[in-house]
Amino acid sequence: MAKGGGWGNDGPMTAEGSWRSATDADEVAFVDCVDVDAATLERFYRDVMEPSFRPDELTGFDLMRTAYQTPLPGAQGTLAMRSGEPVAGALGEFDSVSGIMLLAYLAVRADLRGQGIGSALLAHVLPRWRAANDPVAILAEVEDPRSYAPGPYGDPVARLRMYGRTGWRLLPLPYFQPALRPGLARVHGMLLICFAAEDAVVPVDDLLAFTDGYMRSCEGEEAVLNDPDYLAFRDRVKQTPAGVPLWPTSRAHEVPAAT
């Protein structure tokens, strides 16, 4: 659910694993989560993640630490470090059953949003994830600007424009985020996007294998088999047997909303 804010005004990449803003001399270094200590990861969660996401969009620090510092199979995370402090992060999850990679979280510290750190971080991690996993598709969940106004969690309109500029496209599907764990609610008003070429499609069987597994791991087999909202999503996917087409982000207002 890559919903955190903080992009624009990219600066130059300096050396492998680092970046410097065009207007700031402080270099940002990219460091894998497995190479930072637990205290640094906790500061990232407290200072970057929690201010960037609503509570229903977070799995909790303990689960994040287990996933990205152990790490669990398929989990790949990178932090942006500035003067020894974590200022941004990109956390990905590769599903070996479907072959799909999810950009689960992308977040930049609130006071540094709009400086290009998020775009630079994406430019660093996406080629590495592709080389490591050869995914069928790289997906992300973002807030639909029709459902969310600009606020402390970022600006959905600016965020979607950033994704459009950096090669992401929309899946025209009625999407919602499953309830990530017991006690949390589903998150409606979401869009599903894909990092892909203009003429690409997302294979139907792979997409359904991914979303079935996602829903099953979060809400159980009963939701996969009988939940009306999820079945409506599946039906919409199956209406495109040649593959789900991808739309430019400028067409977000045309994407059907999940009920």
Side-chain angles (χ1 to χ4, degrees):
M1 44 188 143
K3 296 183 287 295
W7 306 283
N9 302 320
D10 292 347
M13 299 297 288
T14 57
E16 180 64 26
S18 63
W19 171 88
R20 180 177 288 117
S21 167
T23 59
D24 196 323
D26 289 339
E27 187 172 294
V28 173
F30 301 129
V31 183
D32 289 342
C33 289
V34 294
D35 295 324
V36 301
D37 57 30
T40 299
L41 196 65
E42 186 169 11
R43 292 198 304 277
F44 166 68
Y45 188 84
R46 182 191 65 229
D47 298 339
V48 181
M49 295 280 286
E50 287 188 328
S52 297
F53 299 99
R54 293 171 176 82
D56 286 328
E57 299 167 352
L58 291 168
T59 59
F61 172 68
D62 289 340
L63 289 177
M64 187 191 78
R65 180 179 60 185
T66 298
Y68 292 98
Q69 282 206 307
T70 305
L72 296 180
Q76 294 174 261
T78 299
L79 302 186
M81 304 291 295
R82 188 183 195 184
S83 301
E85 288 301 313
V87 298
L91 306 180
E93 302 170 4
F94 178 66
D95 175 38
S96 60
V97 174
S98 65
I100 286 178
M101 184 107 192
L102 178 68
L103 173 59
Y105 295 101
L106 175 66
V108 177
R109 205 174 70 191
D111 63 313
L112 297 175
R113 293 174 184 168
Q115 298 185 22
I117 296 174
S119 297
L121 184 55
L122 278 180
H124 175 76
V125 300
L126 290 177
R128 299 175 75 214
W129 291 353
R130 278 186 159 170
N133 304 300
D134 191 23
V136 171
I138 301 176
L139 303 181
E141 304 158 301
V142 297
E143 293 171 342
D144 188 336
R146 295 173 296 182
S147 299
Y148 296 93
Y153 299 113
D155 183 344
V157 173
R159 181 178 306 123
L160 198 57
R161 282 200 299 262
M162 182 283 301
Y163 277 114
R165 288 195 306 268
T166 54
W168 296 75
R169 299 175 67 79
L170 294 166
L171 283 74
L173 299 169
Y175 187 74
F176 61 90
Q177 176 208 284
L180 296 178
R181 55 184 171 85
L184 298 183
R186 289 180 178 178
V187 181
H188 291 268
M190 302 294 291
L191 297 169
L192 196 60
I193 61 174
C194 181
F195 183 67
E198 185 173 342
D199 59 350
V201 298
V202 179
V204 168
D205 289 346
D206 296 326
L207 179 60
L208 291 178
F210 170 75
T211 58
D212 283 356
Y214 189 9
M215 180 65 72
R216 185 179 296 113
S217 68
C218 292
E219 300 191 22
E221 186 69 20
E222 179 66 19
V224 176
L225 297 176
N226 295 311
D227 181 82
D229 289 345
Y230 184 63
L231 293 179
F233 169 84
R234 291 187 102 261
D235 287 344
R236 186 67 179 240
V237 173
K238 289 188 286 187
Q239 290 173 19
T240 56
V244 179
L246 298 175
W247 291 0
T249 56
S250 60
R251 294 184 64 183
H253 63 285
E254 301 177 46
V255 175
T259 55

